[in-house]
Structure formats: structure tokens, C-alpha cells
Amino acid sequence: MTGPDIRAFRGELLSVPRDPRDDRDAVRHESDGLLVVEHGVIVARGPYGELAERFGRVPTTDLPGLIVPGFVDAHVHYPQMDRIAAHGEQLLDWLDRHIFPAEMAFADRAHADRVANAFLDELLRHGTTSALVFATVHAQSVDALFEASLARQMRIISGKVLMDLGPAGLADTPQSARAGTEALIARWHARGRLGYAVTPRFALTSSDEQLMVAGQVLAAHPEALLHTHLAENRREIQAVAQRFPDAADYLDVYDRFGLVGARSVFAHGVHLPDRSCARLAQSGAGIAVCPSSNLFLGSGFFDFGQADAFGLRIGLGTDVGAGTTFSMLHTAGLAYQAALARGDRLDPFRALYLATAGSAALLHVADRVGALEPGQEADFVVLDTAATPLLARRTAGATLADRLFALQILGDDRAIRQTWIMGRCAWDRTCPTGPAIR
Ligand code: GUN
Ligand code: ZN
């Protein structure tokens, strides 16, 4: 069986399509595996010995390393990449002092184009092939990101930020929020691999009228996601309680405007009352857990024990620029440390699940990416378990679980040897000419 656009990849394959907490057989591993890709989609996957006869004549590339699904970053801000490592403040002051001034520059389309291209290259260098991304309040910031994503064939979901109570120069209105969002959905949703998320920044930067508009637009576009922040930092939570004294809790503010449903993705959820967890579970809404950001802004540690007790859907996000790394590997290692700080143990296979299929499920793209299953798009990463001398020492002769955990604790972009998008090499660390897709 050969065809004009069919090729195979041989190497060690690992994926975790389901949460290993729920399914002990969730880990799929072939120490000598074959991945067969036709027109960018996986058509077969299994042990090389079982598939070699059927696909023996397909051109095959050997990929030395550990092949895992491309990472899915469930919450990240592209306009903040150049404000990463901004010193000195927790959330509300950090926004005022560092972030809002930086986001104002995205009124300039050329600036947005430059940053969007640099941002997507940085995702690829870190093995991230899909992401749910905050842009800015400016519609053209979304155009810039989607255009650059389309050129790289990446699976990116984004939307114009709604923030009519934002600072001067960064505030829209309920009317422009509606018109801008509607126009962007018409222009971009489902074009190539792109998707749209209705994106109110958080409860404090939108008027009641704008939150209502967000709910109405969402109801009119059931294909879109809802993407916002929730219960991240103590002072923010206090301010929300002061402004909305009648709401049962922070989540209830969003609920009152129709923003809580199965397609809602809330970043953080560090400080959630049990009532919020029960409502999240009942609605099917999910949390993008962002441990790097939570540490950097002094927000706290996500409560994995509570989330698991309520059966919450969770994924992992870097939250750059409050997060200080683009690496989903490193973010998985930080999730382990955040969990342990509250007495919970995050298994490395579950951490890999959260960074791939778990985040994909949160973003409602788990049928397309995240598990290296036949029928899915061929986005994958080749990990180098000997990327640094220390990693090489720690992983030599180690079990699969130990190698994976060492990659999460010690790994970063150096451990990403190659990133493949739909069966094409998009980043090769060993190739001096850099990404092949342009
Ligand atoms: N809450 C509202 N806006 C932001 C933001 O840009 N970053 C983070 N981490 N939290 C927010
Ligand atoms: Zn964020």
C-alpha cells in the first residue's frame, strides 16, 4: 500500500489518550513502534513488528527519541511574551504596571504580526502544536495570530479580548465587543485548523452589560469556546466579591451571564469553594491549570485533590507571560510540585495526559489531536532523553516512568529534538536552518 502522500515514522511511541486515574490501561507505549501518516492524518499506529508487513513499502523515517503527541497549551497570552519575567507584583498590580501598557502596542498591526510570528515559533520550539490563546482587545491582534497560525497549519483557538472597563487605550464597549467578535467568528472560525473563543478578560474588566453581550454571542455560536480567568489570586477574588455582592461566588458571576457550560475554559481556579467545583462538574466546564503562573504571581497552588474529588475536567496551560516558561514539559513538572505542596501526587503519565489529550479534551479538539490515534492529525514531538548531560545520566537505563518524570522535571526546549505538524517537520533542533514550515 503506497500513495503519493503516505509516509511512516519508526521509533519509540508514547501517548496517554485517557486519564490514567480513570483507566489503568490508558498508557499506550510501543518501544519499537510505527506511525503511518497519510495526507497529514494518522492512518495506523502500532508495534513495528505487527505493521511492517502491511506498510513495508511506505517510505519510513527513523526517529530516534521518545515520540509523544504535540503538546496542547490550554491557556497562554501571545501579546505578553515580551513581558515575561516582569518583576515585583501580584496579579492586579502586575496587570496595571506591566501588562496593560504592553498590550496597548497591539493597536499596531505590524507589531502584532511580528509578535504573533515569534510566539508561534516559540511554541514550536517547545513542542506545542495546539493552544488556546489570549490576544488583546484589538481585533487586528486576532487577525495577526490567526494568519500566522494558518501559515504554520497549527491548531490555534483565540478571540478578541472583551474589556470595556479596561484602562484608557485598552477599553472596548459592549457594542464593539459584539460587532468585533461576530466579525472575527465569521472570518476565522473553522478556517483550516482554527477555532474561536469568546474571551472576556475576567469579571473585573467587563461591565454587566458586556458580560451579557458575551453570553448572548456565545449562545448564538455554540461552536465557539468561552475563555476567561477564574479565582486566581486572593485580591482579585476579594474585588470580585465586592463588586458582585449578590453572587454566590466568583463562578456564579459568570453563570449569571450564561458563561458557564461544557465549552467554557476557565484559567486557574486556584481558590475555589466546593460550590464552584460542584457547579463546574455539573456544567462540564473545565479548568486550565497554570502552575508556573500561580507560583510567579504568588497566587497559590491548584488543589488537585479537590478537583479530583469533584471529577473536574482539567488541562494544563503555561499562561505566559505570568507563566515563565513556554515548555509544557516543564509545566508538567511544576504541576507535580504544585500538587505535592498540597499533599497530592501527580503521576508522570497523568501529567503527560494533562499536557496532551487532557488539554485537547478541555478545548474540545480531542477527536483531532493529543493521543497519536488513527484518525487524528499527525502532530507529534520527538523528545531527546539525553538532551543535557544530566538528563542523559538520569535517564540511562531508567524505567519509562522515570525517564518521563526526569523529562518533566529537568526538561525544557532543549529536550525537543523535533516538532511535526500534520506529518511535516515544523521544528528541528539539530537543523541549523530552523523550522521547515514558513
Ligand atoms: N486575569 C486577568 N487578566 C489576566 C492576565 O493577563 N493574566 C493572568 N494571569 N490573569 C489575568
Ligand atoms: Zn491568563
Side-chain angles (χ1 to χ4, degrees):
M1 179 179 153
T2 56
D5 188 22
I6 183 166
R7 57 188 299 196
F9 302 92
R10 182 178 177 182
E12 182 177 6
L13 305 178
L14 172 66
S15 65
V16 190
R18 293 173 300 284
D19 192 331
R21 279 180 77 252
D22 308 328
D23 179 353
R24 287 161 60 88
D25 299 325
V27 177
R28 289 203 62 196
H29 177 238
E30 290 99 11
S31 51
D32 180 12
L34 196 71
L35 197 65
V36 186
V37 175
E38 189 169 13
H39 299 301
V41 173
I42 298 166
V43 292
R45 177 241 173 117
Y48 177 78
E50 287 178 18
L51 295 180
E53 198 176 332
R54 197 168 138 215
F55 296 102
R57 294 176 56 197
V58 171
T60 299
T61 307
D62 286 322
L63 295 176
L66 181 61
I67 301 167
V68 299
F71 295 115
V72 181
D73 189 337
H75 178 72
V76 58
H77 298 247
Y78 98 81
Q80 296 179 10
M81 76 176 284
D82 295 323
R83 284 294 174 275
I84 202 165
H87 183 264
E89 317 291 351
Q90 290 211 4
L91 175 63
L92 298 181
D93 296 320
W94 172 82
L95 286 172
D96 285 339
R97 181 173 157 206
H98 297 295
I99 296 306
F100 291 154
E103 292 194 4
M104 286 179 197
F106 287 72
D108 174 9
R109 172 67 196 259
H111 175 74
D113 285 331
R114 282 192 298 274
V115 178
N117 280 288
F119 170 82
L120 294 174
D121 284 347
E122 204 61 24
L123 290 188
L124 291 173
R125 275 174 25 78
H126 287 81
T128 297
T129 50
S130 300
L132 175 58
V133 186
F134 256 70
T136 67
V137 72
H138 315 94
Q140 64 267 33
S141 75
V142 182
D143 289 329
L145 180 70
F146 278 152
E147 210 168 286
S149 306
L150 210 53
R152 288 167 180 75
Q153 282 196 294
M154 293 173 74
R155 190 165 270 292
I156 297 293
I157 304 170
S158 187
K160 171 197 140 44
V161 176
L162 315 182
M163 48 186 298
D164 63 336
L165 300 184
L170 212 56
D172 56 355
T173 66
Q175 295 72 30
S176 67
R178 185 195 300 276
T181 301
E182 290 282 2
L184 285 164
I185 292 173
R187 186 142 74 242
W188 292 109
H189 183 79
R191 203 164 142 195
R193 306 177 79 197
L194 307 177
Y196 200 86
V198 177
T199 310
R201 179 166 213 125
F202 67 157
L204 295 178
T205 40
S206 286
S207 65
D208 288 23
E209 189 185 351
Q210 190 178 59
L211 291 170
M212 200 157 64
V213 164
Q216 289 166 352
V217 173
L218 195 64
H221 295 279
E223 72 280 15
L225 298 184
L226 182 281
H227 185 199
T228 189
H229 296 90
L230 170 71
E232 173 180 3
N233 190 280
R234 299 254 184 225
R235 257 191 65 208
E236 167 215 15
I237 293 165
Q238 259 174 21
V240 170
Q242 264 167 19
R243 178 169 149 208
F244 299 96
D246 297 338
D249 55 24
Y250 195 154
L251 184 71
D252 193 40
V253 173
Y254 293 136
D255 223 351
R256 288 164 178 228
F257 296 101
L259 300 176
V260 180
R263 295 181 74 82
S264 303
V265 179
F266 296 104
H268 304 296
V270 176
H271 308 283
L272 291 175
D274 283 353
R275 188 203 160 277
S276 293
C277 289
R279 175 66 186 130
L280 286 168
Q282 178 204 32
S283 65
I287 300 281
V289 179
C290 305
S292 171
S293 164
N294 298 158
L295 196 58
F296 182 74
L297 291 179
S299 298
F301 298 109
F302 182 77
D303 191 340
F304 283 85
Q306 182 194 34
D308 293 344
F310 281 91
L312 295 193
R313 298 170 63 230
I314 59 174
L316 271 188
T318 61
D319 194 28
V320 163
T324 55
T325 178
F326 276 84
S327 169
M328 290 294 289
L329 269 184
H330 187 56
T331 300
L334 291 171
Y336 167 82
Q337 295 169 58
L340 199 60
R342 296 184 82 146
D344 297 305
R345 279 191 181 73
L346 182 62
D347 170 89
F349 294 105
R350 185 172 189 224
L352 179 62
Y353 163 76
L354 293 177
T356 55
S359 285
L362 200 66
L363 274 47
H364 291 264
V365 293
D367 56 331
R368 311 307 314 149
V369 295
L372 295 184
E373 294 285 345
Q376 290 198 330
E377 295 151 355
D379 291 354
F380 55 90
V381 176
V382 184
L383 299 176
D384 178 3
T385 56
T388 68
L390 187 59
L391 256 174
R393 292 176 71 90
R394 184 62 184 89
T395 56
T399 63
L400 176 62
D402 278 354
R403 281 191 292 147
L404 185 60
F405 188 53
L407 280 164
Q408 292 168 1
I409 296 299
L410 301 173
D412 50 30
D413 52 323
R414 293 168 297 178
I416 308 298
R417 181 177 280 139
Q418 290 173 336
T419 304
W420 292 73
I421 299 262
M422 301 214 44
R424 291 169 61 208
C425 189
W427 165 250
D428 187 340
R429 189 164 170 261
T430 61
C431 169
T433 56
I437 291 179
R438 261 298 116 86

